[in-house]
Amino acid sequence: MDMLGDLESLQFEYGIQEEDRSWLYLQGRSRGLMIKACAHATFFCKLLCNLRESFHEKQTSSCLLTALLTGIRDDDELKVGIIGGGHLGKQLARVLLQLVPIPAENLRISTRRPEALDEFQKLGIQCFYHNPYLVDWANVIFLCCLPSQLPNICLEIQTRLEKGCIVYSFVAAVPIARLKLLLNHTNILRPQYHCVEDFVNIWGANKDITAALRDPVILRATCPYSPAGGIILNIKWLEGVLYAVLNICTARDMPHLQVLQLLNELLLSVHFEACEKDGASCPIFQLHDVVSQVYNKNLSQQRPFPWFDLTAVQLKETPFSQHLSASTALQDHLTYRYCDSFGISLPKEQQPGVSTGSASQ
């Protein structure tokens, strides 16, 4: 088939009438949305895996009681469930398997046609049609279904959702406030994307999503603050991710000072060449960055953070949104951390403190 790959008659555009070619940009936009959505879900799962590894390391080094360790060991590994086995569900499963990577035994798919997922079952992934069973098992649930299917799915799973289970919705047609009502649940993430009219299609056409996310140019275009490719992520998603991490720590009763230290290790431990060696000039998360000043004054050192409603975080202004919008250094470091999680770095000309002109610094 490689010999036929460049034949014009085998291309998608072949046979399309000239007057209809103006709509071909929608193909690139659709692919770009798929790539960005899978990339951001992958980053989120990578972050949760790193968080759980940090829990395990700290518990082991603290020499906690054996009984306590035994009680939480089953929760050390991330367990991901996907509801929906269509095009998006299958692409997401491939990306999570290969790029996080999530072991096959820690990924399960619930779909109306599990017999169509033979590819994944051969890899050891359990595929079935039982949404409540999937929710009972998973820490994170990805909703990859059609909008018309969502009300019935929510009705099936709403009573089975534990407080700490994170529901990550790709159902763009259903707003997060509506999803909160349907699920009677607040631990929900829903990325929102804005598409611009004039854009350069950088998303490619022949690579699968996993291969595309190994391309540094495409991967950098998925960075949270990047407008490349004509698709812009609403940065409230990034706030939701941060507060989701705080909720996981709160569920473990971690004192908030330890949580802040852990947050800095997870998100701000990768530095630019221009950063000072001791990192003194680099941003760090502090208490007033994530909670209000009133709450800050009343929070004793050993208390955990409160439980945050992630739907409210993504709909309203928070202390973190104020801090994030005002700090370009924080935006730059989070972007750099995002790229580093995929094993790439920003070009020097895109790094802060690097001059692209002829003048010396």
Side-chain angles (χ1 to χ4, degrees):
M1 287 301 297
D2 289 341
M3 297 174 62
L4 306 178
D6 294 327
L7 286 179
E8 183 181 352
S9 59
L10 293 181
Q11 303 306 306
F12 175 80
E13 297 85 355
Y14 185 78
I16 295 179
Q17 299 298 318
E18 193 63 36
E19 61 268 22
D20 295 327
R21 286 183 174 269
S22 61
W23 298 104
L24 284 175
Y25 78 95
L26 292 173
Q27 182 193 20
R29 175 178 290 178
S30 175
R31 179 173 168 79
L33 283 167
M34 176 85 71
I35 290 173
K36 275 210 166 186
C38 288
H40 297 153
T42 300
F43 173 73
F44 178 62
C45 288
K46 281 176 176 282
L47 191 65
L48 295 193
C49 288
N50 291 338
L51 178 64
R52 290 171 183 276
E53 288 174 8
S54 297
F55 287 151
H56 184 70
E57 289 171 3
K58 290 182 184 298
Q59 289 156 357
T60 302
S61 62
S62 300
C63 300
L64 294 181
L65 294 175
T66 303
L68 180 59
L69 283 171
T70 303
I72 62 174
R73 182 156 301 162
D74 185 53
D75 205 33
D76 278 348
E77 293 186 334
L78 184 66
K79 292 176 286 187
V80 174
I82 297 175
I83 294 181
H87 184 55
L88 174 58
K90 288 188 284 191
Q91 291 284 5
L92 178 64
R94 293 186 190 108
V95 169
L96 296 181
L97 274 173
Q98 297 182 46
L99 298 185
V100 175
I102 292 177
E105 62 269 20
N106 290 349
L107 179 63
R108 297 179 184 178
I109 304 173
S110 178
T111 176
R112 291 181 300 173
R113 296 185 58 219
E115 68 278 4
L117 300 182
D118 185 59
E119 163 197 351
F120 297 101
Q121 296 187 54
K122 288 179 179 178
L123 295 174
I125 296 173
Q126 292 190 35
C127 303
F128 45 78
Y129 182 34
H130 200 310
N131 296 327
Y133 172 73
L134 185 71
V135 169
D136 286 341
W137 170 82
N139 312 120
V140 176
I141 292 290
F142 286 100
L143 296 178
C144 301
C145 57
L146 296 173
S148 60
Q149 298 168 341
L150 190 62
N152 285 336
I153 289 173
C154 290
L155 193 61
E156 284 183 312
I157 68 176
Q158 64 170 219
T159 60
R160 311 290 281 267
L161 280 169
E162 294 187 0
K163 184 179 182 180
C165 182
I166 299 171
V167 177
Y168 194 117
S169 176
F170 285 117
V171 188
V174 180
I176 195 168
R178 173 65 175 159
L179 198 55
K180 177 182 178 179
L181 290 174
L182 288 172
L183 288 171
N184 191 26
H185 193 65
T186 63
N187 219 28
I188 302 170
L189 286 175
R190 179 182 172 271
Q192 296 185 67
Y193 301 96
H194 171 68
C195 300
V196 300
E197 290 187 8
D198 297 321
F199 69 97
V200 177
N201 184 3
I202 63 169
W203 305 111
N206 298 321
K207 297 178 182 176
D208 64 29
I209 304 300
T210 305
L213 288 175
R214 291 192 171 106
D215 182 330
V217 173
I218 291 178
L219 188 53
R220 290 187 189 106
T222 70
C223 287
Y225 284 95
S226 174
I231 299 170
I232 301 171
L233 170 69
N234 185 330
I235 212 62
K236 294 296 286 183
W237 169 83
L238 192 56
E239 294 179 42
V241 168
L242 180 134
Y243 282 100
V245 170
L246 297 186
N247 279 350
I248 292 171
C249 295
T250 296
R252 291 178 175 249
D253 264 342
M254 286 185 67
H256 68 273
L257 292 180
Q258 289 184 25
V259 176
L260 287 173
Q261 180 183 356
L262 186 58
L263 206 58
N264 286 315
E265 293 171 0
L266 282 174
L267 291 173
L268 299 177
S269 60
V270 181
H271 301 288
F272 297 100
E273 291 182 14
C275 293
E276 294 181 2
K277 291 183 179 179
D278 61 358
S281 65
C282 299
I284 59 171
F285 291 116
Q286 302 184 55
L287 185 57
H288 60 262
D289 296 332
V290 293
V291 294
S292 67
Q293 292 187 4
V294 174
Y295 199 92
N296 186 351
K297 293 177 181 178
N298 298 316
L299 194 60
S300 62
Q301 290 190 357
Q302 293 304 311
R303 283 185 61 187
F305 279 109
W307 188 267
F308 295 99
D309 179 341
L310 298 189
T311 64
V313 165
Q314 293 165 89
L315 292 173
K316 302 177 182 177
E317 190 171 83
T318 67
F320 183 62
S321 59
Q322 297 171 358
H323 177 54
L324 186 59
S325 62
S327 175
T328 55
L330 179 57
Q331 296 172 20
D332 290 338
H333 277 75
L334 291 174
T335 297
Y336 200 56
R337 178 67 181 89
Y338 176 88
C339 290
D340 182 75
S341 71
F342 286 95
I344 69 168
S345 60
L346 287 173
K348 284 192 175 183
E349 62 271 16
Q350 294 182 24
Q351 297 184 18
V354 177
S355 174
T356 57
S358 59
S360 60
Q361 294 291 317

